[in-house]
Amino acid sequence: MIFARKYLLYFIIILIIAALETVIAIKIYPKIAFIKNDIWTILPSPGDPDRSIYTRAAVAAAGTFASKKPEQAYYQTEIDIEDQPLNGNCLYRLSGEDIESRWWSITAYANDGFLIENTEKLYSYNSETINYNANGGFEIYFLGDNDFISDVSNENWLRVNQDENFNVSLRIYYPGEEFFSNLRRVNLPIIEKVKCIE
Amino acid sequence: MRPLLNKIFILLFLGTILHLAFIIYYPTFKMWKFDRDIASTSVNKIIHSDKVDSNSRTVIRPSPDLLYSVCAYDASYSPVVITSDVLNTYWAMSFYASNSDNYAIINDMDINSDNVKVYLFGPNSKPTKINDGYAIFSPSNKGAVLIRRFLGNESNIDELYKNQETLTCDTLDN
């Protein structure tokens, strides 16, 4: 009985060590593997067969079906240019220039990684649906409060959940080989806070 | 003192092995779960998705700009043959191994024809000369083929839905 209890204790210690190492890996991995470009982060080769075991596990946790290069560059952000979390109690403006690629899209996701329910059934803008401004750039507003609608009429805008944080994905299809060697410095849109609920 | 250090070292070593096993097999587990949820009764059959919306919960971070179809394949006993018409807009067929690696992609820019035929061989298959399509070699017997179509401004959405109907995914034996 004592013998069995001793080995059960060893087994529990091994489980705790494995769990601790996994937690540490989850904390450290994004800092090492993700490339940062201003507010955006990207895994340089999320779907490639030669990716590391940690990249494979991280992608499986976040989405499973990632594409290999050069099909798609997939950036994400959950912060604005002041490094503050994107939150549905504020109005945000994303502004950028057209992105050289076959096509691109910008999508807002709820905290759980799924699309945000809205009566308009509008979840994203892509290079064909966006309304460009006169100088060829574009703006997209993110809002969770109906009071902000008057501020963004006739603009590109996406609904987010009030009182909740949200995040934004930027998918760029076939941006070219040069783009992938320059992921840290390519020109990407920025997200600024316009105002918040008082 | 030394026996205690040895014991600590062995426990750390075994904990690390367990951690690495979890990291390595987690993607395989996720693919297995996807197969179970989506295609448990439909191996080597195409499943079409409607446009994704806020109720879509199968895959995290789905793209609302794409119209998807998927075939969970099993090439253990026979190569799998996939055929489809190809669109003029972005259209891509991505091949995923059982550990979720994206080992091959064919898209509309690669195909100089209105349709495509792909022979998907498992790791134990004998290579066969293919004259009427692409030969793709899967590193695992099981996996998934994901077809993505760009919805754009949805002006051609009927064409995209029709394209779904042209897809087939079946074993060569059938």
Side-chain angles (χ1 to χ4, degrees):
Chain A
M1 189 64 183
I2 293 170
F3 188 73
R5 206 180 289 172
K6 187 173 140 189
Y7 279 94
L8 179 65
L9 180 66
Y10 287 159
F11 181 67
I12 290 168
I13 291 171
I14 290 167
L15 280 180
I16 291 170
I17 290 167
L20 278 175
E21 287 182 358
T22 305
V23 169
I24 291 166
I26 290 168
K27 291 271 181 207
I28 293 174
Y29 174 79
K31 292 184 174 73
I32 299 169
F34 280 83
I35 289 177
K36 201 157 165 50
N37 179 330
D38 202 352
I39 59 170
W40 302 93
T41 55
I42 186 170
L43 266 177
S45 52
D48 292 14
D50 60 355
R51 60 195 166 157
S52 76
I53 57 170
Y54 287 100
T55 299
R56 191 176 287 123
V59 170
T64 309
F65 293 112
S67 297
K68 64 175 189 168
K69 279 187 290 186
E71 194 80 4
Q72 182 196 155
Y74 181 59
Y75 286 93
Q76 293 176 73
T77 185
E78 50 195 32
I79 55 168
D80 64 13
I81 53 166
E82 289 167 354
D83 267 357
Q84 296 302 307
L86 300 171
N87 186 279
N89 287 335
C90 298
L91 173 68
Y92 295 92
R93 179 176 50 237
L94 176 150
S95 47
E97 293 166 12
D98 196 16
I99 303 160
E100 203 170 313
S101 61
R102 191 150 179 220
W103 64 277
W104 54 261
S105 76
I106 290 170
T107 311
Y109 290 98
N111 240 347
D112 60 6
F114 294 109
L115 296 168
I116 298 166
E117 189 176 354
N118 66 87
T119 50
E120 299 85 9
K121 286 200 170 286
L122 184 60
Y123 309 104
S124 69
Y125 283 94
N126 64 53
S127 44
E128 286 189 11
T129 56
I130 194 92
N131 295 310
Y132 291 95
N133 52 35
N135 60 16
F138 62 87
E139 291 177 341
I140 300 172
Y141 289 85
F142 301 96
L143 60 96
D145 191 308
N146 282 336
D147 289 348
F148 294 144
I149 287 180
S150 57
D151 295 301
V152 300
S153 57
N154 300 322
E155 303 279 358
N156 308 300
W157 61 276
L158 293 172
R159 175 87 63 181
V160 295
N161 290 329
Q162 202 175 336
D163 297 328
E164 280 181 24
N165 288 355
F166 66 96
N167 52 79
V168 178
S169 291
L170 167 61
R171 294 177 170 87
I172 307 170
Y173 281 79
Y174 275 92
E177 283 293 339
E178 201 178 320
F179 187 98
F180 284 99
S181 57
N182 214 8
L183 292 170
R184 214 180 289 274
R185 286 178 295 277
V186 286
N187 193 18
L188 298 175
I190 57 164
I191 300 178
E192 303 164 276
K193 190 186 293 173
V194 179
K195 61 180 175 180
C196 297
I197 298 169
E198 289 170 10
Chain B
M1 189 66 183
R2 197 173 170 83
L4 179 66
L5 279 176
N6 283 346
K7 213 174 270 181
I8 290 170
F9 177 78
I10 290 168
L11 289 174
L12 275 173
F13 177 76
L14 291 175
T16 303
I17 295 289
L18 188 62
H19 158 72
L20 289 174
F22 173 76
I23 294 293
I24 289 168
Y25 288 106
Y26 178 68
T28 306
F29 166 75
K30 285 291 293 260
M31 283 292 283
W32 169 82
K33 191 170 174 295
F34 176 81
D35 280 1
R36 192 201 62 182
D37 293 348
I38 292 295
S40 56
T41 57
S42 306
V43 174
N44 299 330
K45 294 277 179 294
I46 290 282
I47 294 173
H48 301 299
S49 161
D50 208 341
K51 271 174 57 184
V52 297
D53 60 22
S54 54
N55 296 317
S56 306
R57 288 288 188 272
T58 312
V59 176
I60 200 166
R61 296 182 182 281
S63 172
D65 299 284
L66 292 164
L67 188 63
Y68 295 97
S69 300
V70 66
C71 171
Y73 66 82
D74 183 348
S76 304
Y77 304 108
S78 165
V80 175
V81 181
I82 304 150
T83 62
S84 175
D85 283 359
V86 180
L87 294 163
N88 289 325
T89 52
Y90 177 81
W91 176 103
M93 191 182 274
S94 298
F95 299 83
Y96 294 89
S98 61
N99 67 354
S100 80
D101 282 356
N102 180 204
Y103 61 89
I105 301 179
I106 299 174
N107 68 38
D108 59 294
M109 294 192 300
D110 301 320
I111 303 162
N112 300 316
S113 168
D114 294 338
N115 50 61
V116 66
K117 189 172 191 177
V118 174
Y119 293 84
L120 184 56
F121 294 93
N124 304 322
S125 300
K126 284 182 185 165
T128 312
K129 195 174 180 190
I130 301 297
N131 296 318
D132 61 342
Y134 291 83
I136 301 280
F137 296 90
S138 171
S140 56
N141 281 318
K142 293 184 180 182
V145 181
L146 188 67
I147 293 92
R148 297 177 169 99
R149 307 165 188 85
F150 180 41
L151 283 159
N153 58 16
E154 301 191 16
S155 59
N156 63 341
I157 192 162
D158 291 341
E159 192 188 347
L160 302 187
Y161 277 117
K162 277 181 192 162
N163 182 264
Q164 284 190 324
E165 300 307 318
T166 68
L167 259 171
T168 65
C169 177
D170 207 347
T171 55
L172 186 61
D173 291 347
N174 291 337

